[in-house]
Amino acid sequence: MRDSADAARVASPAALVIFGASGDLTTRKLMPALARLALRGGLPAGFGVVGVARTELDDDGFRQHVLAAAGGEAAASVWTELVSGFRYVAGDYDDPETFKRLEHVLEEMDTARGTAGNRLYYLATPPSTFPPIVAALGQCGLNRPARPDGFARIVVEKPFGRDLRTAMALDAAMHEVFDESQIYRIDHYLGKETVQNLLAFRFANTIFEPVWNRRYVDHIQITAAESEGVGRRGSFYEEAGALRDIVQNHVMQVLSIVLMEPPVSMDADGIRDEKVKALKAVEIPTPEEAVTDVVRARYVEGWVGGEEVRGYRQEEGVDPRSQIETFVALRLRVDDWRWAGVPIYIRAGKRLPKRVTEVAIEFKPVPHLPFRSWQAQGLEPNTLLLRIQPDEGITLRFGAKVPGPRFAVRSVSMEMLYGSAFPEQTADAYERLLLDALIGDQTLFIRSDEVMQAWRIVAPLLEAWENEAVVLARYPAGTWGPREADRLIEQDGRRWRNP
Ligand code: BG6
């Protein structure tokens, strides 16, 4: 979102070094995103990829692997030409030889592809490998640009630590080698158009700002539901669970944008300063609240979309006695001028009835309803729904007169759908974020203090769970979580929306 240098959003020449090049993320997300960028002409002349991984492959083997990964785009000549210059380095991440070979290949790539000594490293590896890779880059001097006017940046995938302590340790290890201005902590939710649109919606419109506060808002609900189970990522998920996998990062990022004050400017620090302030205002749950305001649960067998599916403990790579949650619901409070007294309800989980991520702002009732109760039977509170996915769009629910001789009021929807409002093709989140990292725009990447604040908010929950203070409830796959989640919100006289 920098406005001068990147008005045309063209990146400088660079070599993208992907650690974990034979892995799942590279295949499913990074290569298809690069292929689309290449087809749109979004990559600079002078661009190349060096894949690094433990898998024994040579350059050609890697190129074949990449072409197979990119899907439909693979056939395009612009992509096959680009891939023909990709290089591969096989080796262990804790072996200095791997990095010597990498250095050599990067020099060759500068000559062969004109990548100008600029480096963008991408850590698409398991988190335990982040520190050794970062340290090794530092030891060979690869953390500094190869030329005085060049750059060396590093993109780090989530999870950034397992808790506050490990996140701080990782941060310290990274800061020994890279400056904060070189570090791009990725959260792919920030690359979604609909998440960025939260900024546009809030700060480009006069009519919503006056009601965006405790005087008019009754409460906020954030739902991040997936119908899928853990699939083949069982062993990864066993280390994560819904709180670490979705809430600490994706949901906290969305929440910070919903709560934040208007930024002084739309540049990286202008926005991130306000996001972190918003997160600082979120009350850190007390040990008691970590028990009373939180529900965690695991799916058992059930039906999703007409298909019978197994329970979490029966999934591949999952411990049959696993204590990991696949669903979490919680209530948070915000201590600031704008939001004091407005509860935030969050629920996130796998194997729920459908895939939907949305933010619902539910407004307070009018001071006095001048209707008889039968007239207003179909009236619900005014609600603004910001739908992040799918059916991306915004819906405003308000009361209208039901046509006919009687005077009755019922809630109706006013709807904006991205698909129909904009003919433009939407870029995928990874496409957008890769381009931003190549350009050097950190706006949509998470700053160190934001990550830490998000961990501080969830820390008491993790602690309570470690001490087994919270029961792991169960819900049949294909339902909206356990009864306890309903009770959490119903005890406040409210209910979950049915998205
Ligand atoms: C990832 C999580 O960060 O986000 C996955 O690790 C989850 O478990 C995914 O499925 C959801 O992303 P999206 O873009 O499909 O909502």
Side-chain angles (χ1 to χ4, degrees):
M1 295 193 195
R2 299 184 322 179
D3 50 0
S4 47
D6 66 1
R9 301 198 62 78
V10 178
S12 316
L16 170 64
V17 180
I18 304 178
F19 292 94
S22 55
D24 193 49
L25 182 76
T26 307
T27 317
R28 279 192 311 114
K29 299 287 186 188
L30 302 184
M31 287 305 163
L34 281 177
R36 280 193 298 272
L37 268 176
L39 293 188
R40 281 174 196 241
L43 290 176
F47 176 80
V49 170
V50 184
V52 186
R54 294 188 188 117
T55 312
E56 276 301 331
L57 276 179
D58 58 10
D59 288 338
D60 269 339
F62 179 54
R63 291 169 191 153
Q64 296 305 325
H65 179 76
V66 167
L67 288 176
E73 291 85 357
S77 60
V78 53
W79 176 240
T80 40
E81 197 289 317
L82 193 67
V83 173
S84 69
F86 284 13
R87 303 289 306 272
Y88 187 77
V89 174
D92 282 331
Y93 301 128
D94 51 7
D95 179 359
E97 285 305 313
T98 309
F99 292 83
K100 278 199 198 127
R101 284 201 297 278
L102 171 63
E103 194 173 2
H104 182 66
V105 167
L106 281 169
E107 279 161 16
E108 286 180 352
M109 185 167 264
D110 284 342
T111 313
R113 305 298 286 193
T115 42
N118 292 328
R119 315 311 184 203
L120 179 65
Y121 304 106
Y122 199 117
L123 301 185
T125 45
S128 59
T129 64
F130 295 173
I133 294 175
V134 167
L137 288 172
Q139 272 147 23
C140 323
L142 285 171
N143 56 331
R144 298 282 152 232
R147 299 186 189 167
D149 56 348
F151 64 78
R153 302 181 185 131
I154 185 160
V155 180
V156 197
E157 265 294 335
K158 68 177 259 274
F160 198 87
R162 277 188 56 72
D163 51 23
L164 181 60
R165 189 182 55 78
T166 49
M168 285 169 93
L170 174 59
D171 216 37
M174 293 205 67
H175 280 146
E176 271 180 29
V177 177
F178 291 98
D179 297 334
E180 182 64 23
S181 65
Q182 295 175 285
I183 304 176
Y184 290 65
R185 295 177 198 79
I186 202 165
D187 182 315
H188 78 280
Y189 266 55
L190 292 177
K192 292 182 191 277
E193 287 287 348
T194 41
V195 173
Q196 293 164 47
N197 185 51
L198 291 174
L199 288 165
F201 183 82
R202 288 209 47 206
F203 304 125
N205 296 300
T206 312
I207 58 173
F208 300 108
E209 172 56 24
V211 297
W212 207 263
N213 57 56
R214 64 186 306 277
R215 262 184 291 160
Y216 296 96
V217 175
D218 176 76
H219 73 279
I220 297 174
Q221 287 186 24
I222 301 184
T223 300
E226 296 178 84
S227 53
E228 294 287 312
V230 287
R232 295 195 301 131
R233 296 167 73 232
S235 54
F236 157 81
Y237 204 80
E238 279 286 275
E239 297 290 315
L243 188 70
R244 288 189 173 96
D245 190 39
I246 300 284
V247 176
Q248 187 273 341
N249 33 65
H250 305 327
V251 172
M252 287 298 158
Q253 285 300 312
V254 170
L255 178 65
S256 68
I257 300 175
V258 171
L259 300 180
M260 72 190 263
E261 291 300 315
V264 176
S265 68
M266 288 293 277
D267 65 15
D269 278 332
I271 291 182
R272 298 187 301 175
D273 285 348
E274 294 305 333
K275 280 170 63 202
V276 78
K277 251 171 66 190
L279 289 178
K280 282 185 179 160
V282 174
E283 221 181 85
I284 299 194
T286 61
E288 293 74 40
E289 286 164 348
V291 177
T292 56
D293 291 14
V294 184
V295 173
R296 72 187 296 246
R298 174 187 83 237
Y299 63 80
V300 296
E301 60 281 1
W303 291 79
V304 182
E307 197 192 323
E308 190 165 18
V309 296
R310 54 189 171 182
Y312 176 68
R313 284 182 175 174
Q314 285 76 50
E315 300 277 19
E316 193 185 314
V318 171
D319 180 348
R321 285 159 309 153
S322 170
Q323 290 298 317
I324 287 297
E325 83 286 354
T326 59
F327 173 95
V328 63
L330 62 145
R331 174 176 52 196
L332 291 173
R333 295 179 176 77
V334 188
D335 271 345
D336 69 9
W337 196 271
R338 189 187 281 269
W339 296 115
V342 178
I344 317 285
Y345 301 95
I346 293 168
R347 61 182 163 164
K350 295 205 184 276
R351 284 287 188 229
L352 300 182
K354 59 170 160 172
R355 175 173 183 256
V356 55
T357 304
E358 66 168 34
V359 178
I361 314 282
E362 195 170 306
F363 292 91
K364 294 189 168 166
V366 291
H368 168 68
L369 256 191
F371 313 117
R372 305 234 165 143
S373 57
W374 67 262
Q375 291 177 300
Q377 254 168 15
L379 188 64
E380 303 155 12
N382 287 158
T383 307
L384 185 67
L385 294 168
L386 303 153
R387 232 175 5 264
I388 290 167
Q389 65 192 23
D391 305 328
E392 290 79 359
I394 297 175
T395 303
L396 183 62
R397 301 272 301 157
F398 59 96
K401 181 185 172 300
V402 181
R406 300 191 319 164
F407 196 97
V409 186
R410 190 190 301 156
S411 287
V412 293
S413 293
M414 195 153 78
E415 190 132 30
M416 177 291 243
L417 276 175
Y418 258 84
S420 17
F422 295 103
E424 289 87 348
Q425 213 195 337
T426 322
D428 150 88
Y430 275 93
E431 202 177 321
R432 167 66 198 250
L433 295 173
L434 276 170
L435 184 60
D436 280 4
L438 284 166
I439 288 174
D441 184 350
Q442 287 185 307
T443 312
L444 299 177
F445 293 85
I446 308 177
R447 211 168 57 185
S448 166
D449 49 355
E450 289 183 77
V451 187
M452 301 312 158
Q453 201 51 38
W455 276 122
R456 278 190 194 100
I457 297 167
V458 301
L461 280 51
L462 293 171
E463 212 165 292
W465 299 355
E466 257 163 44
N467 300 333
E468 295 178 11
V470 177
V471 189
L472 183 65
R474 292 184 293 175
Y475 60 101
T479 65
W480 283 107
R483 261 304 291 155
E484 288 83 339
D486 295 332
R487 261 182 246 131
L488 175 74
I489 188 166
E490 283 166 10
Q491 69 194 8
D492 295 345
R494 303 183 173 103
R495 59 192 164 86
W496 293 110
R497 278 186 30 77
N498 189 3

